[in-house]
Amino acid sequence: MCIWRNSSYELDTFAPYLLHKLAIVEIPLHVLASYVVIFKTPSRMASVKWMMPFLTFCSAFLDLFIAVFSTQYYLVPIVGGYMRGVFTDIGISTDIQGHVFITSMCIVGMSILGFFESRYNTVVKGNRENIFKAKGRLFYMGMHYLYALMFTLPLFYNQPDQMEGRKFVKRTLPCVPESIIDDPDFHLWLEEPMLYAIHYGLTALVISLEVIYYFVHTALFLSSTKAKSQKTHKLQVQFFIALTIQIAIPLFIVIFPIAYLITAFITLHFDQMYNNIALNFIAMHGVASSSVMLIVHKPYRDAVVELLRLRVIWTKCRWRSGNAVGDASLMVVSSIVNIQRDRRASNRI
């Protein structure tokens, strides 16, 4: 099915119009989140000292990549499209940008997996050593990140001839204006979208099953009485709940648009308005992740409140110092006037 409404929501200008404005909010929020995570993480959260800033960086990069550097415009279910953004302006090819986009999403998924794997080893296994000192864990997570960096590389091989590919897209999507398909930056990776959907769907399924495994086993352990002390158990439960909320809310924001895109590949359904909306929702992941993180974790929440209070106190101090200077200036002026008045009176006498 091919649907084209001749609406502004279907054009390649729709995403930049929204996402460039969103970047105005994203940049200061991510800077604040990064500062708080790096400098305000307490010692009791040492087990996630490295994972927390890494997840924050990955989410922020994905947000800014879509919003500023490479705004995506894909003609799903065709594995083709082009980008608009800073990377296009400086001459980076659509092929490379597509690889970075998909890889960034996969690395965010791996960082979420790393979070729950870390909690599982810390809480259930009682292994509190750094992952960089644990060879088995380092190999396990290293292979996952290596796969995330390389699993899109098959798309670089056996790509169709681009002139023939454009003819294929015009036959497959007859409702799409030819000016879009004939765009100089338009690139077609595959002519068979089903392979693309199966490959990415299986990857998402495997990562999800691993996350579910670590989550369930950690939750079951914390629901038992195996903790060494009541205080330790309480802190572990609170942190695990906060971590779950931090991961779950942004995940729910992006899981539906990703599910729609995969469904569109499988059913060969084309509706560019929904394609644009789905891709724009993915750009909300980092904003949601950073915002929820600063709210649900008490040390970070207290740090933000402290920063805001310092700003208020600084403003009050400046206001009070300004008033004090004004009062002192008024007293000096009044003294000068009184002295001159006394001199005039003495001269008259």
Side-chain angles (χ1 to χ4, degrees), residues 264-282:
F265 275 118
I266 296 174
T267 61
L268 302 180
H269 174 79
F270 175 82
D271 191 326
Q272 191 58 29
M273 183 177 74
Y274 291 121
N275 290 343
N276 285 346
I277 293 174
L279 290 169
N280 288 342
F281 259 92
I282 295 175

Side-chain angles (χ1 to χ4, degrees), residues 12 15-16 19-20 23 26 61-74 81-90 92-102 104 185 189 279-280 282-283:
D12 57 5
L19 297 182
H20 290 176
E26 289 177 347
F61 178 81
L62 179 61
D63 272 12
L64 296 177
F65 183 81
I66 300 175
V68 178
F69 298 120
S70 180
T71 304
Q72 311 296 303
Y73 188 74
Y74 287 120
Y82 54 86
M83 292 80 181
R84 290 290 180 261
V86 175
F87 285 175
T88 301
D89 294 338
I90 63 177
I92 298 178
S93 68
T94 300
D95 204 6
I96 298 297
Q97 292 184 57
H99 171 71
V100 174
F101 170 60
I102 302 299
S104 299
D185 295 321
W189 283 272
L279 290 169
N280 288 342
I282 295 175

Side-chain angles (χ1 to χ4, degrees), residues 20 22 49 55 82 110 130 141 149 155 158 174 204 211 228 245 252 293 296 304 329 341:
H20 290 176
L22 180 63
K49 178 71 175 180
L55 177 61
Y82 54 86
M110 296 303 180
N130 193 304
M141 291 305 303
L149 293 172
L155 296 178
N158 298 322
V211 171
K228 294 182 179 179
I245 295 173
F252 276 116
M293 180 193 69
V296 298
V304 172
S329 300
R341 185 181 301 168

Side-chain angles (χ1 to χ4, degrees), residues 133-152:
K133 298 179 181 179
K135 295 181 180 179
R137 292 179 60 203
L138 180 61
F139 177 79
Y140 170 77
M141 291 305 303
M143 292 302 295
H144 278 73
Y145 283 111
L146 181 63
Y147 176 76
L149 293 172
M150 299 181 64
F151 87 121
T152 59

Side-chain angles (χ1 to χ4, degrees), residues 25-35 56 59-60 63-64 286-287 290:
V25 178
E26 289 177 347
I27 293 175
L29 177 62
H30 291 318
V31 170
L32 173 63
S34 300
Y35 170 80
T56 303
S59 300
D63 272 12
L64 296 177
V287 171
S290 295

Side-chain angles (χ1 to χ4, degrees), residues 40-269:
K40 301 296 182 179
T41 299
S43 58
R44 66 175 182 271
M45 295 174 62
S47 60
V48 294
K49 178 71 175 180
W50 298 105
M51 298 299 299
M52 194 73 80
F54 183 69
L55 177 61
T56 303
F57 171 79
C58 292
S59 300
F61 178 81
L62 179 61
D63 272 12
L64 296 177
F65 183 81
I66 300 175
V68 178
F69 298 120
S70 180
T71 304
Q72 311 296 303
Y73 188 74
Y74 287 120
L75 301 181
V76 179
I78 296 298
V79 190
Y82 54 86
M83 292 80 181
R84 290 290 180 261
V86 175
F87 285 175
T88 301
D89 294 338
I90 63 177
I92 298 178
S93 68
T94 300
D95 204 6
I96 298 297
Q97 292 184 57
H99 171 71
V100 174
F101 170 60
I102 302 299
T103 301
S104 299
M105 289 199 298
C106 191
I107 289 180
V108 170
M110 296 303 180
S111 64
I112 294 174
L113 170 63
F115 247 113
F116 284 103
E117 186 272 344
S118 174
R119 297 313 302 158
Y120 173 80
N121 279 277
T122 301
V123 176
V124 180
K125 295 295 186 179
N127 182 10
R128 298 180 179 274
E129 64 180 353
N130 193 304
I131 190 173
F132 296 105
K133 298 179 181 179
K135 295 181 180 179
R137 292 179 60 203
L138 180 61
F139 177 79
Y140 170 77
M141 291 305 303
M143 292 302 295
H144 278 73
Y145 283 111
L146 181 63
Y147 176 76
L149 293 172
M150 299 181 64
F151 87 121
T152 59
L153 292 182
L155 296 178
F156 284 87
Y157 300 99
N158 298 322
Q159 294 186 17
D161 177 78
Q162 292 304 305
M163 295 301 296
E164 294 297 324
R166 292 170 193 265
K167 295 178 182 179
F168 167 78
V169 176
K170 292 176 182 178
R171 292 194 305 268
T172 307
L173 302 177
C175 64
V176 178
E178 292 189 0
S179 59
I180 292 177
I181 303 173
D182 291 333
D183 188 282
D185 295 321
F186 187 90
H187 188 88
L188 183 68
W189 283 272
L190 292 173
E191 291 186 354
E192 180 50 64
M194 187 61 67
L195 295 176
Y196 189 85
I198 293 174
H199 178 57
Y200 282 55
L202 287 176
T203 300
L205 177 63
V206 171
I207 296 175
S208 299
L209 289 176
E210 290 182 271
V211 171
I212 292 172
Y213 172 85
Y214 292 124
F215 173 81
V216 170
H217 280 74
T218 306
L220 290 175
F221 180 87
L222 291 175
S223 64
S224 66
T225 57
K226 296 181 180 179
K228 294 182 179 179
S229 67
Q230 189 66 25
K231 181 179 179 180
T232 301
H233 180 263
K234 183 179 179 180
L235 290 175
Q236 289 178 343
V237 170
Q238 290 177 346
F239 181 70
F240 184 72
I241 292 174
L243 179 62
T244 302
I245 295 173
Q246 176 190 347
I247 300 298
I249 292 179
L251 192 60
F252 276 116
I253 290 177
V254 301
I255 196 170
F256 293 108
I258 291 178
Y260 166 77
L261 294 175
I262 294 175
T263 302
F265 275 118
I266 296 174
T267 61
L268 302 180
H269 174 79

